[in-house]
Amino acid sequence: MKEYYYNILLDPAKLPDAWYNINSDLPSPLPPPLHPATHQPIEPSALQAIFPNALIEQEVSNQPYISIPGEIMDIYRLWRPTPLRRAYRLEKALDTPAKIFYKNESVSPSGSHKLNTAVAQAYYNQKEGIHGLTTETGAGQWGTALSIACSMFDMSCIVYMVKISFKQKPYRRTLMQSYGAKVIASPSDTTDFGNQILTQDPESTGSLGIAISEAIEVAVKSEGKMKYTLGSVLNHVLLHQTIIGEEAKLQMDSVGEYPDIVIGCVGGGSNFAGLAFPYAQDVLKKGKKITFLAVEPAACPTMTRGLYAYDFGDTAGMTPLLKQYTLGHNFMPPGIHAGGLRYHGVAAQVAHLIRHNIITPISVLQNPVFEANILFAKCEGIISAPESGHAIRIAIDEALKCKETGEAKTILFNLSGHGHFDMSAYEAYLNNDLPDYELGEDILKSGFDSIPKV
Amino acid sequence: MKEYYYNILLDPAKLPDAWYNINSDLPSPLPPPLHPATHQPIEPSALQAIFPNALIEQEVSNQPYISIPGEIMDIYRLWRPTPLRRAYRLEKALDTPAKIFYKNESVSPSGSHKLNTAVAQAYYNQKEGIHGLTTETGAGQWGTALSIACSMFDMSCIVYMVKISFKQKPYRRTLMQSYGAKVIASPSDTTDFGNQILTQDPESTGSLGIAISEAIEVAVKSEGKMKYTLGSVLNHVLLHQTIIGEEAKLQMDSVGEYPDIVIGCVGGGSNFAGLAFPYAQDVLKKGKKITFLAVEPAACPTMTRGLYAYDFGDTAGMTPLLKQYTLGHNFMPPGIHAGGLRYHGVAAQVAHLIRHNIITPISVLQNPVFEANILFAKCEGIISAPESGHAIRIAIDEALKCKETGEAKTILFNLSGHGHFDMSAYEAYLNNDLPDYELGEDILKSGFDSIPKV
């Protein structure tokens, strides 16, 4: 094995210049998206009211690689390539024979991987003459990323922020405003759907599904001036994130390492897919053996306890129906601190690979996640996002299994973001004040009832 | 000129392995520190109650380079070398012929340059058998850095945090606690000096000078178990920061660039010195011409309006007397948001080079600083610390001067930290609610009265 330093950088000249499209290598084609009203396969052109043509093309493309335009490469180079780090101090603390590597996406200006797709989406929209973008945000990582991307392309940006987060996280709001975004608490009186929710429940604290519906409504009614953007779930979003795994492969190769296990947390699935898909290509095309672990919170167990079914992406039922694992588009998860993982569904591509036994889903409670976050902070110095802590927890668990068996496995996980705006969660954990939720079957059942019969 | 990408990385194998000691190249020797009681030059051994021998040796050393031990190098490599970036998007926004470069110290796990010396100080203390460290913190950058360093060397850590910051910044406190530090609001009832202050004024919101006195008292009374650490001002602290400038020189050289102007914000002076001193060596030894701009807040105008005199580093008068620029150790600056720049004095080495006309001090108001921070965020994506914004402001001003004159100067500044824990300051600025302070002569006069007659 080669000698190397634990902070494994990649020469900026070697930044990959194409995204990897896993559609080209899937063992069977993805089930097609269906029209929300007719339940028939939807024409790509039906998406033109909310997305620009270039992104619709990427959404349905089967090309194996899609070139990254130079303008996007220029902005990527503000923080990319991100470091790959061997967590040597964590390995020592665990006394494990396993090697633990992580890709550090927390160094992006927005603090997470989300900026990889935000920049791409802003670019393609601007190129097609769109002046502004709308979106939703929960924990705020996505809203922050889109705010930065819009500021870089001189576009306006409207972010519908789930009301409970808007109140609990005033600094996230200020962060987005600093980049020039307009941030609105959802449900709001600025949309028909928001007003409808407020009429039913004036005290509604909101949900991602509601915020998505509001953001789509604004884009649709703007008569082509604004478009809608989504921070995860869709094929083109996962595509943009594959730069993570492509870099990681080059970095792992540079030190002669190859992972036995690849781990990522999953809300919609984009950071997981970003790291995993370029390695999944090796499994699908070259017969390599890798265990892919997709980690979700037990309080929102989409992949581990959800149904594999067609469902909407939003609460109002405005999006196409996607075949996915879902808890039902009306499901309201408990208020765990990993706000980015509180989504009822999951990316169709990730769901498809679970069905094909390529990806293994797993769920964890939030107290063990924060225990892992604290150990990681003390060893590696980095305060992880609550979301990313789900990946850290499972990486640690796998390393501890190696300690028992004596196997020296190579573990790679995605540190999708930092937790600088999530310190209230750390405070609650340090004060032994963090609840954990085991969901009863009855709660899941009521969510399942909202899944349309297709 | 060579072709290069705007994110200029340094091969980790080239990480400098010695700190640069400017004492070896000063145009005249530094005035000696004086004993706080006798006002006679103090013996280094008198510092043993609060510092380990290795750091006392560095404090008085005249060796040009001091080797960085391997254990420190291993930890430095968790985040070093830090990126040097050309602020190309900022240049375009300003429409300036100037080239603007910045060293990005905000990528350290603690979020600022402070970790460079925290790791070194923890290491040398631990090596001499010290089990724990005490310190003070204002804005929290230094306390965070020392908390991380102590967690990495398995040492206990007690941080006296200025009470107003303790209340205004609960998340900074939680951050330090996450790394295992004990955080105490100062003035506190845990020390004689704290009790003395509380008796005089039970509502005291504290100051850095008071917190230093409390932290020193705890170390002195621990009977050798704990020592005190300072995050700036002293020679050995500035020494540890020179890794910043050494890296920057290698990175600038790698793209064929050399600065005409080097800029840093100054509280105690350590981030400024860290970037500037390795370049100052070229001026002192090789006759190069560089303009060094040391930027302080107008609300705490130590270098621009202070006296050049011997003064204490703390409020209680426990530290040696250092020849410096000072507003008087009892001076209480207004509550500007750049808490790290609210210090009555400045490093003796920086003061000495101002006296020798090598360094030029300059002051700015906080509203123009935040205006610069917002422009920088929109162009470069990074939310700067309020402190670092002082350097950004002057870099922009110099670039705008170039626009007027048509000169294509090369400007290099230190982005000493990010502002993720300072969003309340951004909020105030965005709400037009940020006061600015022009200090009257009477206010300065009352501070000067506390300067001892030596």
Side-chain angles (χ1 to χ4, degrees):
Chain A
M1 198 185 69
K2 296 180 200 173
E3 283 268 330
Y4 60 88
Y5 296 110
Y6 296 122
N7 200 19
I8 302 157
L9 304 181
L10 182 68
D11 181 345
K14 294 185 182 161
L15 185 67
D17 58 2
W19 296 297
Y20 166 62
N21 179 10
I22 199 161
N23 277 351
S24 63
D25 292 313
L26 289 177
S28 68
L30 273 189
L34 305 183
H35 192 282
T38 66
H39 294 191
Q40 294 302 309
I42 195 167
E43 284 302 310
S45 59
L47 297 170
Q48 287 172 335
I50 48 177
F51 295 123
N53 290 318
L55 293 178
I56 296 171
E57 278 167 31
Q58 291 180 1
E59 189 65 22
V60 299
S61 171
N62 287 313
Q63 262 185 263
Y65 288 94
I66 294 176
S67 289
I68 307 176
E71 294 91 328
I72 297 176
M73 292 290 283
D74 282 348
I75 296 183
Y76 274 180
R77 285 208 176 84
L78 288 177
W79 75 97
R80 305 207 71 87
T82 63
L84 176 81
R85 195 187 284 181
R86 179 155 170 203
Y88 178 65
R89 297 174 53 84
L90 180 61
E91 292 171 17
K92 279 220 303 196
L94 298 172
D95 190 22
T96 175
K99 294 178 203 165
I100 306 175
F101 292 85
Y102 61 95
K103 185 70 170 157
N104 187 2
E105 289 295 300
S106 77
V107 300
S108 99
S110 78
S112 83
H113 68 292
K114 294 285 188 187
L115 197 53
N116 298 326
T117 184
V119 167
Q121 292 189 48
Y123 167 79
Y124 288 114
N125 273 286
Q126 194 225 33
K127 232 182 127 192
E128 295 187 25
I130 308 304
H131 298 296
L133 296 174
T134 72
T135 200
E136 73 292 335
T137 203
Q141 298 274 25
W142 169 241
T144 303
L146 193 70
S147 302
I148 295 178
C150 284
S151 82
M152 293 198 168
F153 287 99
D154 277 325
M155 301 171 84
S156 66
C157 182
I158 302 178
V159 180
Y160 283 89
M161 187 172 189
V162 177
K163 194 170 277 174
I164 189 165
S165 298
F166 185 89
K167 287 180 179 168
Q168 286 175 345
K169 301 190 175 195
Y171 295 147
R172 263 290 176 197
R173 189 202 323 164
T174 305
L175 184 59
M176 293 182 264
Q177 289 168 335
S178 296
Y179 294 110
K182 185 170 174 185
V183 186
I184 300 171
S186 167
S188 77
D189 62 5
T190 64
T191 65
D192 290 345
F193 187 67
N195 277 314
Q196 185 185 321
I197 296 284
L198 288 173
T199 305
Q200 289 161 16
D201 177 10
E203 302 304 314
S204 168
T205 53
S207 73
L208 266 182
I210 296 169
I212 293 174
S213 298
E214 289 204 271
I216 292 179
E217 185 182 322
V218 171
V220 169
K221 289 184 177 164
S222 75
E223 297 177 348
K225 287 196 207 93
M226 301 194 86
K227 299 268 180 185
Y228 168 72
T229 58
L230 195 67
S232 189
V233 174
L234 298 178
N235 297 350
H236 69 269
V237 182
L238 274 54
L239 173 81
H240 300 152
Q241 295 296 353
T242 57
I243 185 103
I244 301 171
E246 293 182 301
E247 282 181 12
K249 282 178 88 169
L250 294 176
Q251 289 164 307
M252 291 289 279
D253 285 352
S254 77
V255 295
E257 301 282 3
Y258 197 86
D260 300 300
I261 305 172
V262 172
I263 303 169
C265 66
V266 174
S270 76
N271 96 74
F272 168 80
L275 179 64
F277 283 4
Y279 276 110
Q281 185 186 31
D282 290 355
V283 172
L284 295 166
K285 286 187 71 174
K286 299 183 192 166
K288 289 265 188 188
K289 284 205 190 319
I290 301 175
T291 301
F292 294 100
L293 298 177
V295 192
E296 67 184 7
C300 192
T302 311
M303 299 177 293
T304 52
R305 298 176 70 191
L307 303 185
Y308 185 63
Y310 272 103
D311 199 2
F312 298 106
D314 69 325
T315 303
M318 297 165 78
T319 70
L321 293 162
L322 293 171
K323 192 76 178 271
Q324 59 187 309
Y325 285 91
T326 175
L327 297 166
H329 60 276
N330 282 347
F331 176 75
M332 282 285 269
I336 55 166
H337 283 280
L341 307 186
R342 292 175 71 241
Y343 185 65
H344 68 273
V346 70
Q349 289 175 331
V350 171
H352 197 65
L353 289 171
I354 293 173
R355 297 301 285 183
H356 279 282
N357 297 314
I358 307 288
I359 294 170
T360 306
I362 185 169
S363 75
V364 288
L365 294 168
Q366 69 176 345
N367 274 292
V369 163
F370 276 90
E371 184 195 29
N373 281 344
I374 292 287
L375 178 62
F376 185 73
K378 288 184 176 173
C379 291
E380 296 294 310
I382 300 172
I383 290 285
S384 157
E387 292 81 2
S388 321
H390 288 68
I392 299 174
R393 174 74 262 171
I394 296 302
I396 289 175
D397 288 350
E398 291 296 319
L400 291 174
K401 279 187 207 164
C402 287
K403 186 179 174 181
E404 279 183 27
T405 62
E407 289 173 288
K409 288 190 181 173
T410 299
I411 299 166
L412 170 63
F413 73 88
N414 199 1
L415 186 76
S416 55
H418 64 61
H420 297 171
F421 294 91
D422 300 281
M423 293 315 296
S424 62
Y426 280 83
E427 191 177 23
Y429 174 75
L430 292 172
N431 293 336
N432 290 312
D433 201 19
L434 205 58
D436 258 321
Y437 306 89
E438 288 282 8
L439 301 186
E441 292 296 334
D442 50 327
I443 294 177
L444 292 185
K445 174 76 175 55
S446 73
F448 293 158
D449 288 345
S450 68
I451 299 173
K453 308 284 171 268
V454 175
Chain B
M1 199 187 66
K2 297 179 199 173
E3 283 268 330
Y4 60 88
Y5 296 111
Y6 296 121
N7 199 19
I8 302 157
L9 304 181
L10 183 68
D11 181 345
K14 294 187 182 159
L15 184 67
D17 59 1
W19 294 298
Y20 166 63
N21 180 9
I22 199 159
N23 277 352
S24 63
D25 292 313
L26 290 177
S28 68
L30 275 188
L34 304 182
H35 193 283
T38 66
H39 294 191
Q40 293 303 308
I42 196 167
E43 285 300 309
S45 60
L47 297 171
Q48 287 173 334
I50 48 176
F51 295 124
N53 289 318
L55 293 178
I56 296 170
E57 279 168 30
Q58 291 180 1
E59 188 65 21
V60 299
S61 170
N62 286 313
Q63 266 186 260
Y65 288 95
I66 294 177
S67 288
I68 307 175
E71 293 93 328
I72 296 176
M73 292 288 284
D74 282 349
I75 296 183
Y76 274 180
R77 285 207 177 84
L78 288 176
W79 75 97
R80 306 208 71 87
T82 62
L84 176 81
R85 196 187 282 180
R86 179 155 170 201
Y88 177 65
R89 297 174 53 83
L90 179 62
E91 291 171 17
K92 280 219 300 197
L94 297 172
D95 189 23
T96 175
K99 296 179 201 165
I100 307 175
F101 293 84
Y102 61 96
K103 185 69 170 157
N104 186 1
E105 290 295 300
S106 77
V107 299
S108 100
S110 78
S112 84
H113 69 292
K114 293 285 188 187
L115 198 53
N116 297 326
T117 184
V119 167
Q121 292 190 48
Y123 166 79
Y124 288 114
N125 273 286
Q126 194 223 33
K127 232 183 127 192
E128 294 187 25
I130 308 304
H131 299 295
L133 296 174
T134 71
T135 200
E136 74 291 334
T137 203
Q141 299 274 25
W142 168 239
T144 303
L146 193 69
S147 302
I148 296 178
C150 284
S151 82
M152 295 202 167
F153 287 101
D154 278 325
M155 301 171 85
S156 65
C157 182
I158 302 178
V159 179
Y160 284 90
M161 187 171 187
V162 177
K163 194 170 277 173
I164 190 165
S165 298
F166 186 89
K167 288 180 180 167
Q168 286 175 344
K169 301 191 175 193
Y171 295 147
R172 264 287 176 198
R173 187 202 326 164
T174 305
L175 184 60
M176 293 183 263
Q177 289 168 334
S178 295
Y179 295 110
K182 185 170 173 185
V183 186
I184 300 171
S186 167
S188 76
D189 60 6
T190 64
T191 64
D192 290 346
F193 187 67
N195 277 312
Q196 185 185 319
I197 296 285
L198 288 173
T199 304
Q200 290 162 17
D201 177 9
E203 303 304 314
S204 168
T205 53
S207 73
L208 266 182
I210 295 169
I212 294 174
S213 298
E214 289 204 271
I216 292 178
E217 185 182 324
V218 170
V220 170
K221 288 185 177 163
S222 74
E223 296 177 347
K225 288 194 206 96
M226 302 193 87
K227 298 268 180 187
Y228 167 72
T229 58
L230 196 67
S232 189
V233 175
L234 299 178
N235 297 349
H236 69 269
V237 181
L238 274 55
L239 173 81
H240 301 151
Q241 296 296 353
T242 56
I243 186 104
I244 301 171
E246 293 182 299
E247 283 182 11
K249 282 177 86 168
L250 294 175
Q251 289 164 308
M252 293 288 279
D253 285 352
S254 76
V255 294
E257 300 283 3
Y258 196 86
D260 299 299
I261 305 172
V262 172
I263 302 169
C265 67
V266 173
S270 76
N271 96 74
F272 169 79
L275 179 63
F277 282 4
Y279 276 110
Q281 184 185 30
D282 291 355
V283 172
L284 295 166
K285 286 185 71 174
K286 300 183 192 167
K288 290 266 190 187
K289 286 208 189 314
I290 301 176
T291 301
F292 295 101
L293 298 177
V295 191
E296 66 185 8
C300 190
T302 312
M303 299 177 293
T304 50
R305 298 176 70 192
L307 304 185
Y308 186 62
Y310 272 104
D311 199 2
F312 297 106
D314 69 325
T315 304
M318 298 165 77
T319 69
L321 293 162
L322 293 171
K323 193 76 179 270
Q324 58 187 306
Y325 285 90
T326 176
L327 297 166
H329 60 277
N330 283 348
F331 175 75
M332 284 285 270
I336 54 166
H337 283 280
L341 306 186
R342 292 175 70 241
Y343 185 65
H344 67 273
V346 70
Q349 289 175 332
V350 171
H352 197 65
L353 288 170
I354 293 172
R355 297 300 283 184
H356 279 281
N357 297 314
I358 307 289
I359 294 170
T360 306
I362 185 169
S363 75
V364 287
L365 293 167
Q366 69 176 345
N367 274 294
V369 164
F370 277 89
E371 184 195 29
N373 280 344
I374 292 287
L375 178 61
F376 185 73
K378 288 184 176 174
C379 292
E380 296 292 310
I382 300 172
I383 290 285
S384 157
E387 291 81 0
S388 320
H390 288 68
I392 298 174
R393 175 73 262 170
I394 296 303
I396 289 175
D397 288 349
E398 291 296 320
L400 290 174
K401 279 187 210 166
C402 286
K403 186 179 172 181
E404 279 184 28
T405 62
E407 288 173 289
K409 288 190 181 173
T410 300
I411 298 167
L412 170 64
F413 73 88
N414 199 1
L415 186 76
S416 56
H418 64 61
H420 297 172
F421 293 92
D422 301 282
M423 293 314 298
S424 62
Y426 280 83
E427 192 177 22
Y429 174 74
L430 292 173
N431 293 336
N432 290 313
D433 201 19
L434 205 58
D436 258 320
Y437 306 88
E438 288 280 10
L439 302 185
E441 292 296 332
D442 48 327
I443 294 176
L444 293 184
K445 174 75 176 55
S446 72
F448 294 158
D449 288 344
S450 69
I451 299 173
K453 309 283 173 269
V454 174

